[in-house]
Amino acid sequence: MGKVDLNFMPNVPVFDANAALGRRHDKRVNVDTVEGTIAEMDRTGVTKALVYAPHGAAYDSTEGNQILLETIGNNDRLIPQFCANPTFDKIDDFSKSVNSANVKTIRIFPPLHNYPFAEWVVGEWLDWAESENIAVWIPVNYETNWHGALDIDPTQLHDTLKNRPNVNVIISEIKYADFPWIMPLIRSLPNISVEISRWVIIDGIQRLINAIGDQRILFGSRFPDSPMSPQLYNLHHNDLSDSSLKDICAGNTERLTGVKVS
Amino acid sequence: MIESTPIIDFHAHAGNWTNRAFPDNPEVYIKQMDITGVDRTCMNCIWFGDANWANNLVHNRFVSAYPDRFIGVAFVTPHYPEECIYELDRSFDELNFKFLKLYPDYYGQSSDADGYKPIFEWANQKEIPIMCHGRYGTDAPGTTQLKRYEKFTKDYPKIKWVIAHAGGGTELDSVKTAKELPNIWLETCGSGNPLNAVSYAVNHGLSDRLLFGSDMPIMDYRNQIAKVITADISRDDKKKILGLNAIKLLNL
Ligand SMILES: [Zn+2]
């Protein structure tokens, strides 16, 4: 007879490093409100969540980030992450908005916004991220009704970031099919972390820890497209030390955002 | 609270798949099963053109080596129609496999294709359950699972159909199909993980016809079982999906 805990809840503080908040233009999302997001966090034992606005990805970072801040209001469990389009946004204005909202992380979308992740395109933004200690989330892919499943080019990631050892980059939503390139990439570049909401490959957690240790792995859920708890369940069943579990579930994201979960 | 309940994984693959860096070493599966609490895993092998080779691999490497932990699942391909019936007879009569997995994607045609007719007729006569997908890349626009399985359940009323990746997947069409038709079960594995997929099916009255699956060695058992364990459904429903339904379906 299999032995399982049918009422599983995490036993460490949890900081979700990959959630979206707000409506999308191309479908009705499962949950688009603060109340709904907090309800799922309470149900699954998630303390805080780093959230970005889908509108900031699909259409306009300035308006999207504004909508995000208005939506969050004064809720201190939802931490804003700003979307950016380095080919359009003015870096000075963007920097001001980041500072005034006390935002520490941004999310960029090279394939969605149709630019190569190359020094000659994003160099100025990487200078800024480095000097302001802003961590940069890059999802492998971001799908909309007008943009299919075009993934980030791993060679561009490698060639650009190998000369940028002081910029913290988080490759978000790595998935099982990315295994052949993501493993050598993270082994070769120590400033890259990974967010694991879609990382369901067999023995995935152990493979990452064996490759890069426990300080560059971030729990994330991809809520509201996906539930918050399955990856937490996996992390709690991987024989991790207390400190590894705490760091992956929250500590590493705390360090990158400057926000404590408790 | 840790509790005991039978857990059967309905969907796992045998055979090496090296671009996922995973060798099909049964001991690795067993280690994962022990961590996760899985009692028995249903193993199919669909990665060979030679079904005889594939079924022998399942039998020799997994089922006969660890008969308490693995259940054999047969595979045949209509690319070689002349071999199908012989291989089906052999898989169920000699190897004692429990159901049939078909993978029309590798045939380049959907399960409605004529090539599958003799296989379905055979399974209907022997009352063998069949697992395959609900939709295919080759489907014409407007194809629905409901239409597809309406015909199947009418033409082959003794086959119990299991739609893979449907109970926890993105195909809400499959919930409708299972609700409206008899003899349809939905299996839960997949790399995608839509919010509320399992509870959606349960809330539509399908808790007796959902089956936990892992898709090993592509997916980790723990992520896949967590979809059921952490779903917003009752403990009794979790137990049914984790194993009790499979035990009933396969007469284990
Ligand atoms: Zn499969």
Side-chain angles (χ1 to χ4, degrees):
Chain A
M1 289 277 246
K3 301 218 182 312
V4 276
D5 179 1
L6 296 177
N7 302 309
F8 165 80
M9 285 289 269
N11 55 28
V12 295
V14 177
F15 197 158
D16 185 339
N18 184 29
L21 176 65
R23 293 191 175 183
R24 289 176 63 114
H25 69 287
D26 54 355
K27 66 176 181 186
R28 185 174 177 134
V29 297
N30 296 308
V31 175
D32 59 19
T33 62
V34 168
E35 295 71 33
T37 305
I38 294 289
E40 175 72 356
M41 290 165 70
D42 287 342
R43 188 182 82 78
T44 56
V46 173
T47 325
K48 281 188 159 72
L50 189 61
V51 292
Y52 70 93
H55 186 81
Y59 280 100
D60 176 21
S61 49
T62 307
E63 279 177 3
N65 297 336
Q66 191 55 39
I67 292 168
L68 178 72
L69 293 178
E70 284 169 17
T71 308
I72 292 174
N74 54 12
N75 190 300
D76 66 358
R77 292 174 66 189
L78 300 175
I79 309 304
Q81 175 176 66
F82 276 6
C83 296
N85 181 349
T87 67
F88 182 86
D89 297 332
K90 304 269 178 298
I91 196 160
D92 292 341
D93 296 343
F94 190 86
S95 177
K96 272 183 211 143
S97 70
V98 159
N99 288 336
S100 86
N102 197 25
V103 162
K104 297 287 181 217
T105 71
I106 65 167
R107 180 175 291 250
I108 63 171
F109 307 85
L112 177 72
H113 293 159
N114 197 25
Y115 62 85
F117 184 75
E119 184 66 29
W120 50 272
V121 183
V122 295
E124 189 188 16
W125 283 71
L126 296 177
D127 288 342
W128 168 75
E130 183 175 342
S131 69
E132 300 286 316
N133 198 23
I134 299 289
V136 181
W137 263 241
I138 306 178
V140 170
N141 163 296
Y142 188 92
E143 262 182 74
T144 70
N145 66 324
W146 43 263
H147 176 89
L150 189 64
D151 285 357
I152 185 90
D153 180 342
T155 303
Q156 292 173 2
L157 286 174
H158 178 267
D159 292 356
T160 304
L161 293 174
K162 74 171 190 257
N163 299 317
R164 292 284 186 170
N166 299 318
V167 180
N168 282 315
V169 169
I170 294 79
I171 309 296
S172 184
E173 305 193 2
I174 56 167
K175 56 192 182 300
Y176 73 97
D178 301 328
F179 177 86
W181 63 265
I182 194 70
M183 299 306 290
L185 182 72
I186 56 179
R187 273 197 213 99
S188 65
L189 299 181
N191 52 325
I192 295 187
S193 302
V194 288
E195 178 279 311
I196 57 172
S197 52
R198 297 192 71 184
W199 189 246
V200 297
I201 190 170
I202 167 74
D203 269 331
I205 303 302
Q206 215 52 57
R207 294 187 199 210
L208 288 176
I209 288 178
N210 292 345
I212 57 171
D214 59 11
Q215 296 300 297
R216 294 157 56 197
I217 304 170
L218 278 58
F219 161 74
S221 70
R222 205 165 178 258
F223 185 83
D225 285 335
S226 297
M228 288 181 168
S229 38
Q231 192 62 286
L232 285 173
Y233 182 93
N234 183 23
L235 287 165
H236 279 70
H237 292 81
N238 254 280
D239 257 335
L240 301 178
S241 68
D242 272 7
S243 72
S244 289
L245 184 64
K246 277 185 179 154
D247 286 346
I248 295 172
C249 287
N252 297 335
T253 303
E254 284 182 323
R255 199 177 60 242
L256 291 162
T257 56
V259 174
K260 292 275 177 211
V261 282
S262 48
Chain B
M1 184 186 70
I2 303 290
E3 52 196 304
S4 293
T5 190
I7 303 180
I8 311 289
D9 171 6
F10 211 80
H11 184 156
H13 301 281
N16 292 324
W17 193 351
T18 64
N19 65 356
R20 306 287 177 259
F22 191 80
D24 75 339
N25 175 352
E27 283 166 22
V28 178
Y29 289 67
I30 289 171
K31 185 173 157 232
Q32 280 248 332
M33 290 162 69
D34 289 344
I35 295 168
T36 318
V38 174
D39 295 303
R40 301 177 79 186
T41 292
C42 301
M43 300 294 301
N44 65 66
C45 183
I46 60 173
W47 299 336
F48 292 86
D50 185 343
N52 187 281
W53 177 284
N55 292 326
N56 282 342
L57 188 156
V58 168
H59 183 260
N60 298 339
R61 200 173 297 171
F62 289 87
V63 181
S64 68
Y66 304 91
D68 299 339
R69 305 307 299 275
F70 295 111
I71 294 165
V73 178
F75 167 70
V76 290
T77 166
H79 279 309
Y80 298 92
E82 67 278 20
E83 296 170 3
C84 283
I85 300 303
Y86 166 82
E87 187 56 25
L88 285 167
D89 282 335
R90 189 184 78 94
S91 300
F92 289 89
D93 295 344
E94 284 175 36
L95 305 182
N96 202 23
F97 285 4
K98 294 299 182 195
F99 65 98
L100 175 63
K101 160 89 179 183
L102 297 174
Y103 203 69
D105 309 64
Y106 291 169
Y107 185 46
Q109 299 180 57
S110 73
S111 52
D112 319 74
D114 283 349
Y116 280 107
K117 273 189 185 156
I119 298 168
F120 292 162
E121 279 162 10
W122 180 94
N124 191 50
Q125 199 199 345
K126 304 265 183 174
E127 303 186 25
I128 297 293
I130 295 179
M131 178 164 80
C132 53
H133 291 184
R135 282 174 176 284
Y136 304 95
T138 49
D139 283 347
T143 308
T144 66
Q145 295 184 56
L146 183 59
K147 270 191 228 160
R148 168 166 290 146
Y149 281 94
E150 234 163 24
K151 182 161 171 31
F152 284 169
T153 51
K154 204 160 84 211
D155 291 353
Y156 311 106
K158 291 181 177 165
I159 296 178
K160 292 170 173 166
W161 301 89
V162 178
I163 306 182
H165 310 295
T170 51
E171 296 283 359
L172 299 182
D173 182 22
S174 56
V175 169
K176 190 173 175 204
T177 305
K179 236 176 107 174
E180 302 216 356
L181 299 175
N183 283 346
I184 304 284
W185 278 254
L186 307 179
E187 178 270 324
T188 60
C189 75
S191 64
N193 190 10
L195 187 71
N196 300 334
V198 172
S199 59
Y200 181 85
V202 168
N203 293 340
H204 280 76
L206 296 175
S207 61
D208 293 325
R209 289 193 277 146
L210 292 175
L211 304 164
F212 156 63
S214 73
D215 220 359
M216 269 280 283
I218 309 161
M219 314 291 158
D220 195 288
Y221 279 110
R222 290 162 282 199
N223 293 102
Q224 299 301 322
I225 201 172
K227 289 182 188 177
V228 181
I229 287 179
T230 66
D232 197 7
I233 57 176
S234 74
R235 284 172 54 253
D236 284 345
D237 285 341
K238 291 178 187 178
K239 290 182 180 180
K240 285 183 190 174
I241 301 167
L242 290 175
L244 299 176
N245 291 343
I247 289 171
K248 247 193 216 165
L249 174 63
L250 300 179
N251 296 316
L252 299 176

